[in-house]
Amino acid sequence: MLKGINQWCYPEGTSLEEVFEYSKEAGFDAIELNLYDSGGIGLTMDTTPGEADAIVKLALSYGLQLRSLSTGLLWQNQLSSANENVREQGRKIILKQIELASVMGIDTVLVVPGSVTQDVSYDDCYKRSQEELKKVLDEAEKRQVAIGIENVWNKFLLSPLEMARYIDELNSEYAKAYFDVGNVLQFGYPEQWIRILGKRISKVHVKDFSTKVGNITGFVPLLAGDVNWSAVVEALEEIGYDDVITAELSPYAIGPKQLPIDTARHMEVILASQSKVKN
């Protein structure tokens, strides 16, 4: 498996060249870029194919692969919204992700499908988000880019059996899971999710979580929480996953180079854990 790191692991305002430089120095194989609104650093809703191609060349000059494309824009433009204009903007964001991914040779885009709230019921979130995803899957299939649906703290898709069903009902080989290891620890076991989701998993996020804290502040650096990393790696190997695992962590307050260095070393320990068990 390859070691990847998300652009969010660096302080806001860090240039792409610095992101690539620091990641390469730390020993990463891949970078996960994010799609921002106009004015962001890197890929935005205004990025042209030519500009995207220049970013690919810059990454390659540092020996780094681009394997997936994330975004935070779908939190504000949810596919589960009761407002059709909001849902339409959400579709436009995903279509832009797919367009850029296709140009850049990226095979998966991360999508948060929606959120259950006091105003959006669970069944409405389920129905609306599936309807909206079906509208963009034709483009995903045409461009051969997988839509990786992420399990996040959105009060939705709270079990691996339900997430598997949700994906299967989309009835497309380009409807996949973007599995986040740390996000399920509050209410489940990531190794069980991995085995149930199986080949539906297109990409994997890694972060750790302290169950003793038990709330949003419980996310901690890798190896500092309660994830059973040996069991996670074993499960990934069982399902034949050999793609990138991407760290998604909050940047340190000082020293932007230090987090990637620490995280790369932690990931090496994680990836080595299963071979030690086998030996």
Side-chain angles (χ1 to χ4, degrees):
M1 284 178 266
L2 303 174
K3 300 194 304 294
I5 187 168
N6 185 284
Q7 185 180 358
W8 283 321
C9 292
Y10 294 94
E12 186 176 352
T14 305
S15 71
L16 276 187
E17 186 141 15
E18 288 173 319
V19 167
F20 295 152
E21 178 187 344
Y22 300 162
S23 300
K24 181 62 177 179
E25 288 178 357
F28 284 96
D29 306 299
I31 298 290
E32 181 171 76
L33 297 177
N34 302 304
L35 178 68
Y36 297 95
D37 210 343
S38 303
I41 290 181
L43 297 173
T44 76
M45 293 293 291
D46 300 323
T47 298
T48 66
E51 290 168 338
D53 185 60
I55 290 173
V56 173
K57 291 176 180 175
L58 181 61
L60 289 174
S61 73
Y62 284 93
L64 293 166
Q65 299 183 40
L66 301 177
R67 306 286 300 156
S68 52
L69 175 59
S70 179
T71 188
L73 297 178
L74 289 170
W75 285 104
Q76 294 80 40
N77 303 277
Q78 298 201 5
L79 302 180
S80 57
S81 172
N83 187 319
E84 165 60 26
N85 292 332
V86 174
R87 298 199 304 274
E88 181 182 7
Q89 183 59 27
R91 293 197 305 272
K92 289 180 180 178
I93 290 165
I94 298 172
L95 290 172
K96 185 64 176 183
Q97 284 182 283
I98 292 170
E99 174 200 348
L100 292 175
S102 176
V103 169
M104 301 173 79
I106 292 170
D107 66 14
T108 303
V109 298
L110 183 151
V111 168
V112 174
S115 296
V116 175
T117 68
Q118 284 189 323
D119 299 320
V120 177
S121 68
Y122 204 111
D123 53 340
D124 282 340
C125 183
Y126 197 103
K127 180 181 178 181
R128 286 178 193 149
S129 60
Q130 278 192 333
E131 288 175 348
E132 299 303 324
L133 286 170
K134 288 174 181 177
K135 294 175 184 177
V136 296
L137 272 167
D138 282 347
E139 187 67 14
E141 292 168 358
K142 183 174 76 173
R143 292 184 178 264
Q144 298 184 319
V145 173
I147 293 176
I149 298 161
E150 189 183 26
N151 55 296
V152 295
W153 283 28
N154 54 353
K155 296 182 170 61
F156 186 54
L157 302 180
L158 296 175
S159 85
L161 292 172
E162 183 187 11
M163 190 169 190
R165 171 189 163 189
Y166 179 92
I167 291 169
D168 291 346
E169 287 173 348
L170 291 170
N171 194 31
S172 172
E173 63 178 309
Y174 288 94
K176 295 288 189 179
Y178 198 128
F179 181 65
D180 189 301
V181 172
N183 278 348
V184 303
L185 208 67
Q186 178 69 346
F187 45 84
Y189 300 90
E191 59 270 24
Q192 295 178 11
W193 280 66
I194 290 166
R195 291 188 175 95
I196 290 169
L197 292 174
K199 294 297 185 181
R200 299 175 186 85
I201 296 176
S202 180
K203 291 292 183 289
V204 174
H205 266 167
V206 290
K207 55 177 171 278
D208 219 326
F209 183 77
S210 172
T211 56
K212 298 179 186 65
V213 178
N215 58 44
I216 198 68
T217 62
F219 290 105
V220 293
L222 299 178
L223 306 183
D226 296 305
V227 172
N228 184 341
W229 290 109
S230 294
V232 166
V233 174
E234 181 179 16
L236 288 171
E237 290 182 344
E238 281 184 21
I239 69 168
Y241 185 84
D242 61 356
D243 204 332
V244 63
I245 57 171
T246 301
E248 186 193 35
L249 306 165
S250 298
Y252 292 162
I254 60 173
K257 287 187 175 185
Q258 194 58 46
L259 181 134
I261 292 171
D262 292 347
T263 302
R265 301 295 85 77
H266 295 159
M267 292 174 79
E268 288 168 6
V269 172
I270 288 167
L271 292 173
S273 63
Q274 188 55 31
S275 63
K276 290 180 181 178
V277 171
K278 289 179 178 178
N279 293 334

